[in-house]
Each structure stands twice: as C-alpha cells, then as structure tokens.
Amino acid sequence: MTEQATDRSRHNIHARGSEKLKAHLAVLLFSLLVSGSFSLGGIATQMVDPLALQALRYAVTVVFIAALCAKLGVSLSWPKEPWRFAVLGLLMAVYMTTMFVALQFTKPVATGAVFTLMPLLSAVFAWFLMRQHTKPAVLVSLLIAATGAVWVIFRGDLGALLAFDVGRGEMIYFVGVLCHAAYVPLLRLFNRKEAPLAFVFWAAVATFAFILVPAAPRLVEVDLFNLPPMVWIAVIYLSVFATAVTFFLLQYASVRLPASKVLAYGYLTPTFIIVIEGLIGHGWASGAVFLGALVTACGLLVLAWLPD
C-alpha cells in the first residue's frame, strides 16, 4: 500500500465509543461558546470598530495561550512545516474579515442562511483533500438539520425566506464560508501529532498576523485605556472562550469525526443565540421558531448516532 493510500485510509478512520461521544460533546460546546460571542460581540461592536475588536481578540488569545503553555511546560519552539499554520491563519482571517465586510451590504439573517452551506461544503473539501467519505444517511441528516436552522434564521417567516436574494454581501460572505469549510478538514490533514496547545498557539498567531493587515489602521485609532468595561469583558470572552477554547475543541473533534459532522453543530448556533438573547432580556422568539430548532436538534441527534 502506498503512503498516499495509507494517509487516505487513516483519514477515514474515526473515533468510536467514549471517544466519539466526547468529540460530539466537544463540538456541541464549541457551538454554544461561539453563540455567546454573537451576543457579547454585538454589544461590543457598538462601542469599538469590529475589525479592531477582532485584532484585540486574537492578540489576547496569543498571550493567553503562550502563558498557559509556559505554565504547563509545553514547548513553543518554531514548528515543522510552518506553512501549515500560515494556510490555517489565512483561511480563518478571510472568514472573520468577510463576515464583517458582508454585513455592510446585507443583513445578519442573510449571512446566517449562507452559513448553512458550510457543513456540506466541508464534506466536499474533506473528500477532495483526504478522500473522506460522507455516507448518504449523514447527508440526509445534514439537510434535515439545515432545514431547521434556516427556519430559525428566518424566524419562521416563510415570506422572508421566499424573498431571500443573493446579492453582493452574500457572495462576499460565501468566500469566507468556503474558507471555513476548508479549515476543518485541514486541521486533520495538517496534524503532525504536536501538543494540542502548541498547535492552537501557532494557528492563533498566524490568524492574528493576517487579521492585523486590515485591522491595523483602525486599531491605532482605538483608545485602549478608555474603552468601556463591556468591551474588555467581550474581548476576554472572545479571546479565551470563543477563540482559544473553541480552537482546541475544533482540533480535538476534527481528528475524531468526519468534517461534515464537526461543522454540523453550527446549525445549533442560531438556536443558542435566540436562547441567550432571551436570557439576557433581549426578547424571546415565537413558538414556530423553536419548532425549527427542534427539527435541527432531531437531525443532529440522528447524525450523532449514524456510523461515520
């Protein structure tokens, strides 16, 4: 068997038993933590430029992970094949940047609809990059979960769904979605058995470097010493929980589950956002919206139990 064939076989071997369960719980927690970033980030971006906020987020993330590695004795020596992290950093930076650029031309609900394409696109990238197969039953479960997510995103308004129009903002964000869809299978393909924290550190450093390109002119205009406390609360949450922890969770799950299953839990993000917004007093959605959330949950439950 050739080395290439061996690699392809390895990338089609997935976790079982308790390891599989822990991987699913990891991406479930990933989705919950990311959802919290929308509410906090939405409040903070009313007080500071969004791209400047992202740069602050990744700067704090890099410092936090470096301090954690120093405390735990994890080596941060220059990695082998550093181009891997440059690719990952560029993909994530493009995703983050296009998200904010797209919102200048379209509404959040429209970007949410484009987001639902991500798990299916990731399955396509996983096949091209690693010949990772996605079973038909898994694809059906993804479509069911996506249907529920779209219903939640459009808040049960069939008229709004039918009026959806693909414009400039949607196309910009679609480029970012393509990048994120490729990011997850590449986490597995680029894994060289490094310490997980070291891998996360270099991925965060690369992302910060690329984010800094569009953010630097805006960042120098920010008065860091006079920012409202809410901005720093958001920065700490975004950097520690929504970046450092989610990087680790995503890497953990990506080497144990197919790429399509890893990103499928993103379909729960709109539901989590609605629940969080309700809990912090921003109002609750209608029963029809929660029906869509139930459809998504059922689709993901079936997805979790299906063979990989």
Side-chain angles (χ1 to χ4, degrees), residues 5-223:
T6 302
D7 284 341
R8 288 178 180 176
S9 176
R10 175 167 58 87
H11 294 312
N12 278 283
I13 297 173
H14 309 294
R16 296 182 179 181
S18 62
E19 281 296 306
K20 177 178 179 177
L21 176 61
K22 286 190 286 186
H24 279 281
L25 291 174
V27 281
L28 181 62
L29 180 57
F30 164 83
S31 180
L32 179 59
L33 292 175
V34 168
S35 301
S37 71
F38 281 87
S39 295
L40 275 176
I43 295 170
T45 51
Q46 295 175 17
M47 307 173 188
V48 66
D49 181 85
L51 281 177
L53 180 67
Q54 291 299 323
L56 284 173
R57 164 191 189 171
Y58 278 98
V60 174
T61 299
V62 169
V63 172
F64 171 73
I65 299 175
L68 193 59
C69 288
K71 184 173 180 60
L72 297 176
V74 176
S75 172
L76 292 179
S77 57
W78 188 252
K80 296 178 181 178
E81 301 174 297
W83 59 267
R84 294 175 294 150
F85 299 101
V87 172
L88 293 173
L90 178 60
L91 290 174
M92 186 54 69
V94 170
Y95 175 73
M96 291 292 181
T97 304
T98 56
M99 180 193 301
F100 288 111
V101 173
L103 288 172
Q104 296 176 11
F105 302 99
T106 189
K107 296 179 180 179
V109 66
T111 58
V114 177
F115 177 86
T116 61
L117 296 171
M118 195 180 294
L120 295 172
L121 290 170
S122 191
V124 173
F125 277 116
W127 187 85
F128 275 108
L129 293 168
M130 302 178 291
R131 291 298 186 267
Q132 193 178 89
H133 305 294
T134 303
K135 296 180 182 295
V138 171
L139 289 175
V140 172
S141 299
L142 280 174
L143 291 173
I144 292 171
T147 301
V150 169
W151 190 250
V152 170
I153 289 166
F154 284 94
R155 294 190 171 262
D157 187 344
L158 187 59
L161 177 59
L162 294 175
F164 175 68
D165 181 41
V166 178
R168 185 178 179 183
E170 288 80 7
M171 292 307 298
I172 290 171
Y173 185 56
F174 181 68
V175 173
V177 167
L178 280 172
C179 290
H180 201 300
Y183 181 86
V184 170
L186 285 175
L187 284 176
R188 183 166 188 157
L189 186 65
F190 288 170
N191 185 275
R192 301 292 187 268
K193 305 298 182 183
E194 295 105 334
L197 272 176
F199 190 98
V200 170
F201 172 79
W202 289 111
V205 167
T207 303
F208 174 60
F210 283 109
I211 283 282
L212 207 53
V213 175
R218 307 182 187 197
L219 190 59
V220 295
E221 297 176 0
V222 176
D223 186 355

